[in-house]
Amino acid sequence: MSVEANMAATAAKAPAVNTGKVKMSGNGVNVFYGEKQALFDVDLNIYENQVISLIGPSGCGKSTFLRCLNRMNDTIDVCKVTGNIMLDEQDIYDKNIDVVELRARVGMVFQKPNPFPKSIYENVAYGPRIHGMTRTKDELDELVTSSLRRAGLWEEVKDRLDQPGTGLSGGQQQRLCIARAIATQPEVLLMDEPCSALDPIATAIIEELIDELRANFTIVIVTHSMQQAARVSQKTAFFHLGKLIEEGPTDQIFTNPINKKTQDYITGRIG
Amino acid sequence: MQGWFFVLILVLTACALFYIGRSRAVTTVGGDATILHSKPGFHGAFVMICGLVPAVLVFLTWLLFSRYLINAYVTAQLGADFANLATIEQQALLRNMRSFADRADLSSLAALEVAAVEHYRGFVATAALLVQVIVAALVVVGSWFAVRAIKQELRARQFVEKTVMAVLIAASGVAILTTIGIVLSLIFESINFFQKVNFLDFLFGTHWSPQSAFEGVGAEATDRNSEVFGAIPVFAGTLLITAIAIIVAAPIGLMSAIYLSDYASPKVRATAKPILEILAGIPTVVYGFFAALTVAPFFRNTGDAIGISVSSESALAAGLVMGIMIIPFVSSLSDDVINSVPQSLRDGSAGLGATKSETIRRVILPAALPGIVSALMLAISRAIGETMIVVMAAGLSANMTVNPLEAVTTVTVQIVTLLVGDQEFDSAKTLAAFALGLVLFCVTLLLNVIALRVIQKYREQYD
Amino acid sequence: MTDLAGGNVEHVSIHTSEGARQRLAKRYRGESIFKWLGRSAIGVSVAFLLLLLSTVVFQGLPAFTFNFVNLPFELTKEKLDYDGTAESLRKANYDAVVRDAIREQFPTVTGRSERRTLGGLLSSGASVYLRQQVLNEPDVLGTNKRLEVPISDFADLYLKGQITSDYTIEGRGALRVERGENGMRLIADQDVFADALSRAKDTLRAQEATLRAQQSGLQLSLNKTRGDIKALQERIPAETNANVKSRLEAELERSESDITVLEARIKQLEEQITNIESRVANPGLGEDLTGEMMSVLVYADGAVLKVQKVTSTTANVEQYLPLDEAVTSLDASQWSIRVLEVPEANRKFTDQEIVWTDELVERGFVRSGLNTIFFTRGASREPEMAGVLGAAVGSALTLIITLLLSFPLGVAAAIYLEEFAPKNRWTTLIEVNINNLAAVPSIVFGLLGLAVFLNYFELDRSAPYVGGMVLALMTLPTIIIASRAALRAVPPSIREAALGIGASRLQTVVHHVLPLAMPGILTGTIIGMAQALGETAPLLMIGMVAFVVDIPMGFSDPSTVLPVQIFMWADFPEPAFQQRTSAAIMVLLGFLITMNALAVVLRKRFERRW
Ligand SMILES: Nc1ncnc2c1ncn2[C@@H]1O[C@H](COP(=O)(O)OP(=O)(O)O)[C@@H](O)[C@H]1O
Ligand SMILES: [Mg+2]
């Protein structure tokens, strides 16, 4: 079975949406970069063990929303967030929340593969190490191996774990970053255009991977490509100029959008 | 020896506390470290910080301020005998007391001094014991509380990170402290000086001969000193040498920068730049040596040969060598400035059929002018503050002249001559150096601030 | 195209007209002048650098070798008053041992001052040097083993050919030795001394020219004074004011007495000139060889005879190394003439000393080798006993403190400012402050150290730890600025990656950013340290100009540093010190080059392009 066909099949047999447990939710989220407002009053639920994709034209605030979910926005001095974002009934912007712990629970994969300039092993082991997740070296080895396996990279790198991660190809690097993210055993995995820097074959491998990962993680993926959204996600949210225009089951958004703007975007009139 | 012993104790205690904290954290969770909120190492560091930081702070405070306590105690014990001494003698006594404190043979001391030494020893012995007890108690109490606080959900990592942050912030405060220290010490000593010498007489007086300073107090001293501490000749000498240096460095540095950025082939650039860097890296004392032993005699001999009298400490020699020294400085600053003029301006000019040099002279230099001016201001500030070249190659006597073949003196030369050797901290001569230092600091600071401002504005314009 | 341009004269563009061509040519000339100016600007820097370096190397290289004398010293227990204790060895009179050892080599030297001069051939540090060897190795006692001691600085310079140039003329014909009342005379059967004589006459001629110039100068002032007198004589009768009159009369009197003096002096010169003239005019006439003329030595059968007076065939000589009493004549192969070109009066090393030194060399007592003294000792008043080790160790101790303070502080401050500091007034103030601190003249840091460290906190004068503190404050801005640049160069994606898997900000910095920025930080630090190593002025302020003979052993021992040592030596007039100054500069530059090379290697090796 070709990868393409597999993808299509997955989308077709997607389970019923809007069921299951709400893992994360944003309520009335506004984001400001200094004076400039980048997100306006966004409400969005993210369900456990589903893939939700965020789509929309460049600069509409997809990444901004995504980065709110694990407070990566904290690193930008001028960025202010209002409204609340819940993770399992807990407001993640609450004073008592430890961002470090939050980010361990809500992991992130970035647009451009960004492996540490260290060995492949060290890249994957870094998260478990700083979080003290394993007791022995064997446990750590085991965790590294299983993470690489789940990221579909094991076969390719098992003989060169001590070589630098930066020496891998683009697609491999991105899978290494995914392995690194899942090694920390997060509950939610955020992916910001994970395939935009990759060629079609690498993209297909990663898309397949995302579908497998859904069993264990809740995944939020930002993508530029509507095909990709259609292939990998059960739900889709469409952003435009900082507003959440429409969200719903992926097939509904793509076949029968309610909002005019969504339709325009899907048919290529805005973008 | 004692210092090393102290360091050893400190390191050992630190290791012990770390180990205690770490193992305590592991035992509280029954050996399964993974369920701890923070990794065990952070708990170790937590205990270490709680145990050591207060103790070390107390100890450092004692080191810094014990002197005042001791002096106060000894003075009180000696009573009237001490109070009747002149200030200078009091100071001498305290100094002797300190230096004889750990010597066995006190036979060379006066009776009062021996008494002082004995009081000193008695006090230090008690006080040191007390401090040791306090420090030890702090370590025990601090770490005890810390160990008690260890539990599974203790946020030891946050605590440790906050401490580290405090250290980082303190480190960046050192730069501020340095500036404050400079400003305060200069101002403080200068105020002392201006109690002995009229401020205006210092700034505008035309006669400088500090060796005939009058060491005394009262109106007479002020009057007599005001006549010998007129700093105008010193300022004039500084300006003369600086002017010569800039006349040398400005055109050469600027032309080097232009040539390297617009004309030179990559190969030439690759050799010329390092050469300029070497020139910048040569210590100024080497320039001074060269100026005093090669350049100055050369000028004097040439002068002799053609019948012009040239001083062997001529301003020309010092200025010329100083100029050479700041060439790399001017050229690298100008290079930055010239390179930040956008290519579009060059293209525009070339598109009208201008030659390269016309483009540079008519378009780039005018556009880069503010940057170049501030580069020159920085260079001037550098030249004014430069010390070794002038100390070795310029004169000591303060002549008021604009003739570069004569010897003049400069602010930095005077500071060095007034301060090298033994100084009495309340003599007008010593304090005069600080007044000169204050002037030097203010002038260079002003030049730097303005220049850095202008450069920044200029950069923003083309960014 | 060609048709249009060439054929149609009316359509010539204003840019191709004759006038425009000329203007263009002129503009191109301007262009090449401009370019030439740029090239010469670079040329000036290059030329200066070459001049400076070659001067230093040329002067400094000879100081890296030195001549040692190894003599059999009489190191007996009796002579040293050795009673078995190290203390007695330390206190023994080595001066006497050294003195006797050199005298023993020249037993014929008996005069008091001659003996002193002979002793002066060895360094006055020879006894110290000898004691050191005995203390290190007491076994040499009583062995009569030859031990090495340093030669004097001028003897060393002479042996390196820096006192005088010389040439030798082989003997021709036989010399008869005549011993008379007033010393010894050599009589040749040919005009073997003609060369010496004619050179003596040349010197006379030059002297004559100088005297004449003097004379004509005096003549001028004589004429002027005469004129003055005449004027005065005319004015005085006409003067009515009594006061002025008496003043003028006094002046007249003074001028008249001046005239007598001048006339007498001119006459005296006249006589001298005539005397010299007649001597020059008569080439056959013998001459005294004075200290202003080159020195002529006759080497005869192991003896050295200094020529005092020559004719073309005879020479009156003094025996600098005595000639065997029995010798009455020498044949051509037995003797030669050596001419030392620099007149004795113009050098600080006499002919007699030259002869003795040559003799020591002849007998194999002199060894030229690496100047170990220079590399193993501290300061000294004697150039031959002075070394750079003390200053180098002082520099090292100072730099260690500087590094220990400024590196952690600088890196910590840079991390805070670059990675954590919020953008607010306070951090802007710190930034501006650091930039300005980097441009504060170094001497101001010296004033700070003097006022705060020495005066307020009463820390030790001349101590490396205080010097290190002052230099640390001075290098701190450099390190902070370099470290910030290095931190900034680490791409944000690395930080995001670490933060994204839940590393804290501090962990992100410590585990990822800092290691990646470290090569840049280290490069900046090394450059800062190199600056600190070359720094002189602030250390002068805090008393690191001390004259330190002993090698400092700890951070609070009084010390000096290399650049300050250079500064102090540059002030000493002895030529040997001049050479050592240059040599010390070479050592300093050597360290600096090593450090900078290290920085370059570090940059090249770990440079990372993102
Ligand atoms: N660090 C920042 N500072 C200021 N504005 C920003 C920053 N990051 C993003 N923005 C602005 O916020 C808006 C949303 O950006 P982003 O979320 O990156 O869009 P995208 O949907 O393409 O991922 C854009 O208009 C962008 O200019
Ligand atoms: Mg984006």
Side-chain angles (χ1 to χ4, degrees):
Chain A
M1 193 161 42
S2 82
V3 177
E4 290 291 321
N6 187 10
M7 286 290 127
T10 321
K13 62 176 190 244
V17 288
N18 274 9
T19 57
K21 188 175 154 232
V22 175
K23 184 71 188 171
M24 292 191 82
S25 67
N27 305 305
V29 178
N30 288 297
V31 178
F32 303 84
Y33 289 109
E35 298 288 289
K36 183 170 177 277
Q37 187 163 3
L39 277 186
F40 299 84
D41 212 11
V42 174
D43 297 318
L44 186 66
N45 287 341
I46 295 158
Y47 292 90
E48 194 154 37
N49 294 10
Q50 284 191 1
V51 179
I52 177 167
S53 46
L54 312 182
I55 60 171
S58 266
C60 67
K62 308 177 298 281
S63 300
T64 302
F65 182 71
L66 194 73
R67 292 165 68 93
C68 287
L69 297 178
N70 71 344
R71 291 182 56 177
M72 280 301 279
N73 280 334
D74 289 13
T75 57
I76 300 166
D77 278 341
V78 293
C79 183
K80 293 277 159 315
V81 180
T82 66
N84 65 37
I85 298 177
M86 311 293 276
L87 171 65
D88 290 342
E89 327 283 301
Q90 222 178 2
D91 183 355
I92 64 171
Y93 278 88
D94 192 272
K95 280 264 178 302
N96 297 325
I97 284 285
D98 180 1
V99 271
V100 168
E101 193 189 311
L102 170 72
R103 289 184 194 141
R105 292 173 62 191
V106 184
M108 187 156 186
V109 175
F110 298 83
Q111 183 166 359
K112 245 183 77 199
N114 54 358
F116 300 128
K118 295 185 175 177
S119 72
I120 293 171
Y121 182 92
E122 286 301 322
N123 262 285
V124 182
Y126 180 67
R129 278 227 175 95
I130 57 169
H131 296 302
M133 290 164 54
T134 53
R135 256 152 286 184
T136 60
K137 174 87 172 94
D138 287 345
E139 271 183 41
L140 185 61
D141 286 351
E142 177 54 36
L143 184 53
V144 169
T145 315
S146 68
S147 303
L148 284 169
R149 278 228 170 81
R150 285 158 84 185
L153 194 59
W154 176 249
E155 291 304 322
E156 287 154 73
V157 299
K158 64 179 180 210
D159 302 324
R160 44 171 175 157
L161 288 177
D162 54 349
Q163 284 172 23
T166 41
L168 298 172
S169 76
Q172 288 173 325
Q173 285 192 7
Q174 194 62 302
R175 275 181 284 150
L176 177 60
C177 291
I178 292 174
R180 185 175 66 187
I182 59 184
T184 357
Q185 301 175 357
E187 297 153 38
V188 181
L189 197 53
L190 310 177
M191 298 178 152
D192 192 349
E193 304 192 29
C195 304
S196 68
L198 305 183
D199 60 81
I201 296 179
T203 304
I205 297 174
I206 289 191
E207 284 178 3
E208 190 177 9
L209 176 59
I210 291 172
D211 199 58
E212 281 163 18
L213 291 175
R214 180 159 64 86
N216 298 308
F217 305 99
T218 305
I219 296 176
V220 185
I221 176 169
V222 168
T223 170
H224 234 84
S225 137
M226 281 171 284
Q227 288 77 5
Q228 189 171 57
R231 283 194 297 265
V232 301
S233 64
Q234 287 75 52
K235 281 191 71 179
T236 298
F238 171 61
F239 284 73
H240 186 58
L241 295 178
K243 298 197 175 79
L244 174 62
I245 305 295
E246 185 173 350
E247 56 133 340
T250 300
D251 14 1
Q252 181 236 312
I253 294 277
F254 280 99
T255 53
N256 191 13
I258 300 168
N259 194 293
K260 171 92 174 33
K261 277 191 191 134
T262 318
Q263 189 154 24
D264 286 351
Y265 180 69
I266 288 167
T267 52
R269 251 167 284 172
I270 48 176
Chain B
M1 203 47 233
Q2 233 175 1
W4 293 120
F5 185 66
F6 174 72
V7 170
L8 185 71
I9 294 268
L10 192 70
V11 170
L12 286 181
T13 320
C15 292
L17 292 180
F18 182 85
Y19 180 76
I20 291 173
R22 213 189 115 97
S23 30
R24 167 83 186 188
V26 176
T27 41
T28 30
V29 290
D32 182 7
T34 54
I35 62 170
L36 278 172
H37 173 276
S38 301
K39 291 179 73 180
F42 286 112
H43 289 90
F46 168 69
V47 173
M48 193 171 88
I49 291 168
C50 293
L52 285 186
V53 170
V56 169
L57 285 183
V58 165
F59 187 71
L60 285 183
T61 321
W62 162 251
L63 277 189
L64 278 183
F65 297 105
S66 60
R67 207 147 41 83
Y68 302 103
L69 274 180
I70 294 174
N71 283 359
Y73 172 80
V74 173
T75 315
Q77 292 296 312
L78 296 180
D81 287 345
F82 183 81
N84 291 339
L85 294 175
T87 321
I88 294 187
E89 287 173 1
Q90 287 183 346
Q91 282 168 359
L93 186 143
L94 292 176
R95 239 193 330 270
N96 275 344
M97 166 188 86
R98 219 174 292 283
S99 56
F100 277 85
D102 22 273
R103 286 188 224 172
D105 179 21
L106 299 184
S107 51
S108 60
L109 293 182
L112 192 62
E113 287 175 322
V114 174
V117 170
E118 262 141 29
H119 288 307
Y120 178 95
R121 286 179 182 165
F123 184 77
V124 168
T126 329
L129 193 66
L130 193 68
V131 168
Q132 278 168 19
V133 170
I134 292 178
V135 165
L138 278 175
V139 171
V140 171
V141 172
S143 46
W144 188 72
F145 273 107
V147 169
R148 285 283 305 262
I150 289 180
K151 53 183 193 263
Q152 184 192 334
E153 58 276 25
L154 175 74
R155 309 202 150 189
R157 182 177 56 72
Q158 275 85 336
F159 180 85
V160 173
E161 290 191 349
K162 285 221 178 80
T163 316
V164 174
M165 274 321 275
V167 172
L168 294 188
I169 293 175
S172 60
V174 171
I176 296 273
L177 276 187
T178 309
T179 311
I180 295 178
I182 289 175
V183 171
L184 283 190
S185 57
L186 289 182
I187 290 186
F188 186 71
E189 307 293 350
S190 297
I191 287 177
N192 283 344
F193 176 68
F194 290 124
Q195 279 164 357
K196 293 170 188 270
V197 175
N198 186 323
F199 178 66
L200 293 178
D201 285 337
F202 170 72
L203 270 196
F204 299 111
T206 54
H207 180 65
W208 177 267
S209 57
Q211 53 286 355
S212 39
F214 180 71
E215 295 305 346
V217 281
E220 194 207 349
T222 312
D223 284 350
R224 282 172 57 177
N225 280 337
S226 292
E227 274 168 29
V228 297
F229 282 113
I232 287 286
V234 181
F235 298 151
T238 311
L239 284 187
L240 178 63
I241 290 185
T242 305
I244 297 172
I246 293 299
I247 289 171
V248 172
I252 298 182
L254 195 56
M255 282 311 288
S256 303
I258 292 172
Y259 184 77
L260 287 181
S261 67
D262 283 63
Y263 286 99
S265 65
K267 230 170 115 188
V268 172
R269 218 182 342 243
T271 38
K273 281 215 161 160
I275 286 181
L276 287 177
E277 276 168 27
I278 294 177
L279 221 44
I282 292 179
T284 53
V285 69
V286 178
Y287 281 103
F289 171 77
F290 190 68
L293 286 116
T294 308
V295 180
F298 171 75
F299 281 151
R300 200 201 37 230
N301 295 340
T302 318
D304 281 352
I306 58 173
I308 303 174
S309 102
V310 180
S311 161
S312 59
E313 298 174 329
S314 66
L316 185 61
L320 177 81
V321 173
M322 193 190 276
I324 304 266
M325 184 203 84
I326 53 180
I327 287 176
F329 193 68
V330 175
S331 90
S332 81
L333 283 173
S334 320
D335 197 39
D336 286 354
V337 167
I338 290 171
N339 279 330
S340 59
V341 175
Q343 187 63 27
S344 58
L345 280 183
R346 286 164 217 252
D347 294 347
S349 169
L352 293 174
T355 64
K356 230 178 191 177
S357 67
E358 285 163 347
T359 306
I360 292 166
R361 276 179 294 149
R362 308 263 172 101
V363 178
I364 296 179
L365 289 187
L369 194 62
I372 291 174
V373 169
S374 46
L376 289 184
M377 284 170 75
L378 287 177
I380 292 175
S381 136
R382 190 76 182 271
I384 292 179
E386 168 48 39
T387 309
M388 291 323 290
I389 296 178
V390 279
V391 166
M392 295 170 83
L396 280 182
S397 59
N399 299 324
M400 269 242 262
T401 174
V402 288
N403 179 357
L405 303 181
E406 281 180 36
V408 294
T409 190
T410 74
V411 173
T412 45
V413 173
Q414 289 304 317
I415 294 178
V416 170
T417 17
L418 291 174
L419 289 185
V420 169
D422 286 329
Q423 325 99 2
E424 289 290 333
F425 240 84
D426 38 10
S427 88
K429 271 199 301 192
T430 310
L431 295 174
F434 282 90
L436 287 176
L438 184 64
V439 174
L440 178 68
F441 180 72
C442 291
V443 171
T444 51
L445 186 70
L446 193 71
L447 285 169
N448 294 336
V449 169
I450 297 176
L452 289 176
R453 263 278 152 88
V454 174
I455 286 198
Q456 200 184 2
K457 282 266 149 61
Y458 169 80
R459 290 244 169 81
E460 281 165 7
Q461 179 193 336
Y462 288 122
D463 267 350
Chain C
M1 222 21 235
T2 351
D3 263 6
L4 277 176
N8 206 331
V9 184
E10 288 107 277
H11 280 89
V12 160
S13 139
I14 55 160
H15 296 299
T16 54
S17 69
E18 191 49 34
R21 285 233 172 80
Q22 282 173 6
R23 278 200 301 279
L24 191 61
K26 202 172 149 211
R27 284 167 62 197
Y28 275 127
R29 269 202 303 282
E31 176 78 16
S32 58
I33 289 176
F34 194 75
K35 205 167 159 182
W36 182 84
L37 278 177
R39 225 174 258 154
S40 21
I42 301 278
V44 169
S45 305
V46 175
F48 182 88
L49 183 67
L50 290 181
L51 187 63
L52 189 142
L53 291 183
S54 56
T55 310
V56 167
V57 170
F58 184 74
Q59 267 199 24
L61 268 188
F64 287 115
T65 58
F66 191 70
N67 289 288
F68 295 89
V69 179
N70 41 46
L71 291 174
F73 291 104
E74 194 192 344
L75 292 168
T76 55
K77 294 187 175 168
E78 302 74 55
K79 182 116 188 173
L80 294 179
D81 266 343
Y82 178 51
D83 59 11
T85 63
E87 187 59 27
S88 66
L89 267 192
R90 196 168 293 122
K91 288 203 168 141
N93 186 356
Y94 293 91
D95 276 323
V97 178
V98 171
R99 206 172 46 218
D100 293 349
I102 181 102
R103 278 185 193 166
E104 198 178 308
Q105 296 303 323
F106 297 97
T108 52
V109 178
T110 47
R112 216 174 141 70
S113 80
E114 278 179 305
R115 278 182 153 192
R116 190 165 328 114
T117 318
L118 180 62
L121 277 188
L122 297 184
S123 161
S124 56
S127 53
V128 180
Y129 203 79
L130 187 64
R131 180 178 65 182
Q132 190 95 48
Q133 294 178 66
V134 173
L135 287 175
N136 287 349
E137 217 183 316
D139 299 351
V140 297
L141 279 187
T143 54
N144 225 24
K145 202 172 132 190
R146 270 162 66 169
L147 292 176
E148 257 178 12
V149 294
I151 205 166
S152 80
D153 54 338
F154 281 107
D156 181 55
L157 287 177
Y158 165 71
L159 290 173
K160 288 172 182 162
Q162 289 171 336
I163 295 281
T164 173
S165 51
D166 63 342
Y167 60 88
T168 303
I169 305 169
E170 292 305 322
R172 274 184 291 129
L175 276 187
R176 196 152 52 75
V177 181
E178 197 180 86
R179 293 186 173 81
E181 278 289 280
N182 346 329
M184 186 183 278
R185 205 154 90 104
L186 304 177
I187 300 156
D189 52 7
Q190 306 173 19
D191 58 348
V192 292
F193 300 114
D195 175 64
L197 186 59
S198 86
R199 290 200 55 175
K201 302 268 182 196
D202 288 346
T203 316
L204 285 178
R205 235 172 256 125
Q207 275 176 6
E208 185 195 331
T210 335
L211 289 177
R212 275 193 197 284
Q214 255 181 44
Q215 193 200 20
S216 67
L218 288 175
Q219 191 67 51
L220 275 180
S221 45
L222 181 66
N223 291 347
K224 187 171 163 291
T225 319
R226 286 217 176 98
D228 288 351
I229 290 176
K230 212 161 176 193
L232 281 171
Q233 279 165 344
E234 277 162 18
R235 257 182 81 188
I236 288 171
E239 187 58 59
T240 47
N241 186 327
N243 253 340
V244 177
K245 194 164 180 170
S246 72
R247 214 190 65 221
L248 290 178
E249 272 163 354
E251 205 170 306
L252 181 64
E253 206 167 308
R254 206 169 338 117
S255 301
E256 276 164 349
S257 76
D258 280 357
I259 292 236
T260 2
V261 173
L262 281 172
E263 276 171 347
R265 180 85 187 104
I266 288 176
K267 193 147 162 262
Q268 193 189 344
L269 282 176
E270 190 65 53
E271 276 164 19
Q272 281 180 13
I273 290 172
T274 341
N275 174 2
I276 292 179
E277 239 173 8
S278 68
R279 279 156 66 190
V280 170
N282 185 353
L285 188 71
E287 287 294 344
D288 285 332
L289 297 184
T290 62
E292 278 83 41
M293 298 174 184
M294 78 290 163
S295 303
V296 180
L297 301 172
V298 177
Y299 285 67
D301 200 21
V304 182
L305 312 169
K306 157 93 191 230
V307 178
Q308 308 284 22
K309 187 173 178 179
V310 277
T311 68
S312 56
T313 54
T314 67
N316 290 33
V317 295
E318 191 182 331
Q319 304 189 49
Y320 274 6
L321 279 184
L323 185 63
D324 191 34
E325 295 283 348
V327 178
T328 53
S329 84
L330 299 152
D331 62 36
S333 64
Q334 276 178 306
W335 65 277
S336 62
I337 296 178
R338 180 166 174 231
V339 178
L340 305 174
E341 303 217 63
V342 177
E344 199 171 14
N346 295 357
R347 49 179 144 93
K348 290 224 168 72
F349 202 57
T350 60
D351 291 339
Q352 176 70 77
E353 287 170 298
I354 287 178
V355 168
W356 283 330
T357 309
D358 284 341
E359 186 60 19
L360 282 177
V361 175
E362 190 76 4
R363 295 188 200 162
F365 288 132
V366 177
R367 180 186 68 93
S368 165
L370 184 69
N371 190 350
T372 47
I373 297 179
F374 183 69
F375 293 111
T376 54
R377 296 187 65 93
S380 169
R381 291 271 177 245
E382 307 298 328
E384 69 275 13
M385 291 301 287
V388 285
L389 186 65
V393 171
S395 273
L397 292 172
T398 309
L399 277 199
I400 288 173
I401 296 289
T402 306
L403 184 65
L404 287 182
L405 289 176
S406 65
F407 181 70
L409 278 178
V411 175
I415 289 178
Y416 176 69
L417 292 173
E418 196 59 38
E419 302 286 333
F420 297 105
K423 267 260 166 278
N424 60 24
R425 275 233 213 80
W426 172 243
T427 46
T428 320
L429 177 74
I430 296 186
E431 278 205 57
V432 171
N433 177 54
I434 287 172
N435 287 338
N436 279 307
L437 214 50
V440 167
S442 61
I443 192 171
V444 172
F445 286 94
L447 291 175
L448 170 77
L450 176 60
V452 175
F453 296 151
L454 293 196
N455 193 36
Y456 189 74
F457 286 116
E458 291 182 11
L459 301 180
D460 302 317
R461 257 178 165 280
S462 318
Y465 77 92
V466 179
M469 281 157 72
V470 170
L471 293 184
L473 294 183
M474 207 191 75
T475 30
L476 200 54
T478 315
I479 295 186
I480 294 179
I481 292 171
S483 304
R484 289 189 68 178
L487 290 170
R488 212 174 301 137
V490 176
S493 68
I494 298 289
R495 295 183 183 84
E496 289 191 328
L499 291 173
I501 36 178
S504 69
R505 293 222 281 168
L506 197 63
Q507 284 172 329
T508 306
V509 171
V510 173
H511 297 163
H512 300 287
V513 181
L514 197 55
L516 292 175
M518 209 28 105
I521 294 177
L522 288 181
T523 309
T525 307
I526 294 175
I527 288 170
M529 288 299 118
Q531 264 172 26
L533 175 59
E535 199 53 71
T536 321
L539 300 179
L540 297 181
M541 305 282 94
I542 55 164
M544 292 191 83
V545 271
F547 180 78
V548 185
V549 181
D550 298 322
I551 312 289
M553 300 302 288
F555 293 107
S556 50
D557 289 354
S559 348
T560 186
V561 293
L562 272 175
V564 175
Q565 185 74 79
I566 291 168
F567 167 66
M568 292 195 286
W569 280 353
D571 239 16
F572 290 145
E574 290 94 334
F577 259 128
Q578 302 278 308
Q579 291 188 349
R580 274 160 185 74
T581 313
S582 288
I585 289 178
M586 287 170 72
V587 172
L588 177 63
L589 291 182
F591 281 126
L592 288 177
I593 289 170
T594 317
M595 289 170 81
N596 282 297
L598 198 66
V600 170
V601 168
L602 210 60
R603 193 154 47 193
K604 284 259 153 64
R605 177 97 169 63
F606 292 100
E607 193 171 48
R608 211 180 254 281
R609 295 227 173 273
W610 299 98

